[in-house]
Amino acid sequence: MPGGTPQTLRPFLWRAANLYPDREVVARTAGGITRYDYGEMADRTARLAGALDDAGLVGERVGTFCWNHHRHFETYFGAPGVGAQLHTINPLLPDEHIQYIVEDAADGLLFVDPSLAEKLASAYDPDAFTSVEQFVVMGESVPEIPFGPVTDYESFIEGYATDYDWPSLSGDRPAGLCYTSGTTGKPKGVEYTQRMLWAHTMALQTPQGIPVADDDVVMPVVPMFHVNAWGMPYAMTAGGAKHVYPGPAPEPADLAALIEEEGVTLAAGVPTVWIGLLEYVEDNDIDLSTLDRLVVGGAAAPRSLFEGFDRHGVDLVHAWGMTETSPVGTVAHLKSDLEDADAETRIEKRLTQGLVVPGLEFRVVDDEGTEVPWDGEAFGELLVRGPWVTTEYFARPDASEESFEGDWLRTGDIVTVDGDGYVKVVDRTKDVVKSGGEWISSQELENTVMTHEDVIEAAVIGVPHERWQERPVAVVVPAEGADLETLAAECADLVRAEYPDWWVPDDFLRIEEIPRTATGKFDKKRLRERFGADAVEGEAPAEAAPEAAE
Ligand code: ADP
């Protein structure tokens, strides 16, 4: 029958091990730098596969509670390769979410880092963890863990053959599982099949994705518990690149050292990571000459970050994605006909979330479900579909119903699309401020307010308002010694310079620190709880609405 073999991860590992047996895999660990090659990696992964198979985990879920390192990478191929499902757990989540996730996934085995053993012990609940028959510590020694049975990783894989007979698997076989952080309600599981991971890897490898070549040295700083580190470890293996894993909680100094010492050419992480690195690089004498490009995503990257890395000759590439989209959906490459455009146009395009990667389709709809024009102005919710976009949540028909329309995923992101097809995220559906029937982008207001030099951070929330339904309020962390009243007036002017008057926040409130979620995003739910109803008194400004609501 025509059609070829199913799309699975196995050929990526096979190719790397056979074409690039000497290519290095490097990891920063508590004990220093660990270094081996693809040949050894493939042997150890085969031994891990033998151990998982022997432990009866084929067809089961295998959890990891780990940072980014070589052993975690071995599970990326070892678990899916035997026909198990790799469930990466975010150790930064609150205990009750971890309990919920482990119980929901019914993990049969948990890999845990020594440095995270205490956190796991705090989250451990015998009633939620009933499915877990074994804990494997990702190191040579086993710290005190008040539950068991526990073994160390090296003993777990010891004695197994390096020529494991990898099974032929269907492309539909569940290979991965990751829960979204659940800023609203309970965490929701997203399953990745072998085919989804294969398709996502191949899309990353196109010039319109985040392609990785065999002379690249790639450092995923984005955690491996977060949507497979954006799929980078699979793309790096497919491309035959050198891997550099930054280990537990890397500081900017650690990242800079790895870049210099290992010759990193490409790295991926959230904006805060690159903001920290840029500051460090500007204050210290760091050689970034090998670094060619940095991928940034997970939240909108500010303009100053693009300009900062431009000064160092590093191309910051903006990408957008979600747990539900495996995750990469758009990447802000410049279209060839924009390469000669003026500097402002080029940076404006790079600042958007980018162009949809080949293989996906999207549409943008307003409140009534009508498609909005691609004019860079009209707002609407982004819907996407494609081979690596999920069409349901794991065991949650209730949540699936509200998030999908047939095979279209409702992303919950409010975007504009310009005439060139660049998608720009302006807000989340749950954060956008609805004033007098019109939408105000909380993110755009935040970005504008944060350009004031005396504003360290700012978040904008919608608070209930009798006349306008909702009005924006800015919660700011002022610089030391700044006068809030003066700051508020100056920020209001900044907003007025760019947006209509009715976008100006009704109030500017002081906060010590903006609360964040486990994935590092502003926790607006908590802000709304704290500042919600009492924040705005009286009427909105006279010109506070377009077409004056009534
Ligand atoms: P969660 O939805 O639980 O926060 P995800 O990691 O799945 O976790 O987050 C996906 C969301 O992150 C997207 O829907 C979008 O709102 C935001 N996001 C991702 N990348 C970007 C980006 N480059 N710019 C702006 N927002 C982004």
Side-chain angles (χ1 to χ4, degrees):
M1 196 162 92
T5 55
Q7 294 105 325
T8 68
L9 294 171
R10 191 180 59 185
F12 299 135
L13 180 61
W14 175 86
R15 182 177 189 274
N18 288 285
L19 270 61
Y20 301 102
D22 303 330
R23 192 68 88 237
E24 280 183 313
V25 174
V26 178
R28 170 182 162 265
T29 66
I33 298 287
T34 299
R35 186 181 299 279
Y36 61 37
D37 57 31
Y38 274 177
E40 194 175 339
M41 182 266 165
D43 285 351
R44 287 170 57 85
T45 303
R47 289 165 55 202
L48 169 64
L52 290 171
D53 193 341
D54 216 22
L57 290 156
V58 173
E60 301 288 317
R61 275 176 286 276
V62 170
T64 61
F65 203 74
C66 305
W67 299 110
N68 293 15
H69 49 66
H70 59 298
R71 292 188 179 99
H72 201 177
F73 173 50
E74 290 165 13
T75 68
Y76 266 47
F77 280 98
V82 299
Q85 192 176 1
L86 185 73
H87 170 209
T88 52
I89 304 168
N90 181 347
L92 307 176
L93 290 174
D95 288 353
E96 58 277 16
H97 281 190
I98 293 169
Q99 288 154 11
Y100 173 82
I101 283 173
V102 171
E103 185 170 12
D104 195 49
D107 296 312
L109 178 148
L110 274 186
F111 290 105
V112 53
D113 273 4
S115 61
L116 293 170
E118 208 175 306
K119 170 68 183 170
L120 189 65
S122 144
Y124 180 76
D125 169 358
D127 294 335
F129 281 53
T130 46
S131 59
V132 185
E133 288 182 6
Q134 177 143 36
F135 296 85
V136 178
V137 175
M138 285 294 208
E140 285 86 11
S141 60
V142 177
E144 227 18 65
I145 294 186
F147 42 83
V150 188
T151 184
D152 71 276
Y153 186 83
E154 297 306 319
S155 309
F156 183 65
I157 66 171
E158 199 179 335
Y160 287 96
T162 55
D163 60 349
Y164 181 76
D165 187 15
W166 298 100
S168 292
L169 299 169
S170 144
D172 293 330
R173 184 91 173 196
L177 175 66
C178 186
Y179 283 75
T180 65
S181 48
T183 39
T184 49
K186 286 184 291 193
K188 292 173 283 192
V190 176
E191 290 193 285
Y192 307 117
T193 61
Q194 291 273 350
R195 185 188 298 114
M196 287 166 79
L197 295 178
W198 184 91
H200 182 260
T201 305
M202 296 302 273
L204 281 188
Q205 283 298 71
T206 64
Q208 294 80 13
I210 304 166
V212 178
D214 65 3
D215 58 354
D216 269 319
V217 179
V218 190
M219 178 166 73
V221 183
V222 48
M224 291 173 84
F225 52 74
H226 202 84
V227 210
N228 301 319
W230 299 347
M232 295 301 289
Y234 292 128
M236 286 144 66
T237 310
K242 171 174 163 182
H243 298 217
V244 178
Y245 291 104
E251 293 291 328
D254 301 315
L255 300 179
L258 287 168
I259 292 169
E260 281 190 320
E261 284 157 25
E262 303 301 333
V264 172
T265 62
L266 165 65
V270 293
T272 34
V273 166
W274 302 139
I275 291 170
L277 180 70
L278 184 63
E279 270 169 20
Y280 184 80
V281 165
E282 310 238 291
D283 292 347
N284 296 275
D285 186 20
I286 304 298
D287 177 10
L288 292 185
S289 59
T290 60
L291 194 60
D292 179 41
R293 57 219 192 276
L294 282 180
V295 179
V296 64
R303 185 183 180 111
S304 56
L305 200 58
F306 288 84
E307 291 168 342
F309 279 107
D310 279 350
R311 282 198 298 278
H312 292 274
V314 179
D315 188 14
L316 190 71
V317 182
H318 206 185
W320 168 93
M322 303 175 72
T323 308
E324 291 84 341
T325 61
S326 295
V328 179
T330 64
V331 184
H333 291 297
L334 276 185
K335 280 181 161 179
S336 57
D337 43 7
L338 287 166
E339 250 148 40
D340 296 328
D342 59 276
E344 185 55 28
T345 306
R346 278 185 285 136
I347 197 153
E348 288 277 329
K349 300 289 182 189
R350 291 170 61 207
L351 269 164
T352 70
Q353 279 62 30
L355 300 169
V356 68
V357 295
L360 298 188
E361 293 167 278
F362 74 88
R363 59 196 178 96
V364 180
V365 298
D366 65 15
D367 263 351
E368 271 96 53
T370 310
E371 278 199 48
V372 307
W374 290 19
D375 58 6
E377 303 252 319
F379 287 9
E381 186 181 359
L382 176 69
L383 276 68
V384 288
R385 69 175 174 194
W388 58 93
V389 177
T390 193
T391 48
E392 62 180 21
Y393 289 111
F394 175 66
R396 283 287 300 277
D398 57 321
S400 299
E401 195 160 321
E402 43 186 70
S403 298
F404 300 92
E405 271 182 36
D407 49 13
W408 291 98
L409 164 73
R410 301 186 69 108
T411 64
D413 282 333
I414 305 289
V415 304
T416 60
V417 188
D418 71 12
D420 289 308
Y422 284 85
V423 175
K424 185 171 173 201
V425 174
V426 294
D427 223 330
R428 303 277 283 163
T429 42
K430 56 181 190 282
D431 295 333
V432 71
V433 184
K434 291 181 182 145
S435 174
E438 291 291 321
W439 289 356
I440 298 175
S441 158
S442 66
Q443 284 181 15
E444 299 213 348
L445 287 182
E446 283 157 11
N447 292 341
T448 305
V449 170
M450 282 196 276
T451 58
H452 193 294
E453 58 179 7
D454 283 342
V455 173
I456 295 175
E457 274 187 329
V460 170
I461 51 169
V463 299
H465 189 278
E466 218 173 289
R467 181 162 178 203
W468 307 114
Q469 293 89 49
E470 253 185 4
R471 288 292 302 150
V473 163
V475 181
V476 299
V477 182
E480 218 178 291
D483 171 58
L484 188 65
E485 219 170 297
T486 316
L487 198 62
E490 290 172 2
C491 287
D493 285 343
L494 288 173
V495 173
R496 247 178 240 116
E498 274 191 71
Y499 302 101
D501 276 0
W502 52 274
W503 276 48
V504 175
D506 282 9
D507 224 337
F508 287 79
L509 306 168
R510 181 195 298 272
I511 194 170
E512 291 293 301
E513 199 184 343
I514 311 264
R516 287 189 144 77
T517 66
T519 47
K521 296 175 191 177
F522 289 164
D523 191 342
K524 297 206 182 169
K525 195 168 147 233
R526 266 165 69 195
L527 282 177
R528 277 190 288 263
E529 277 162 14
R530 177 159 164 200
F531 294 103
D534 309 326
V536 184
E537 286 149 14
E539 282 283 300
E543 62 284 73
E547 296 95 49
E550 55 275 338

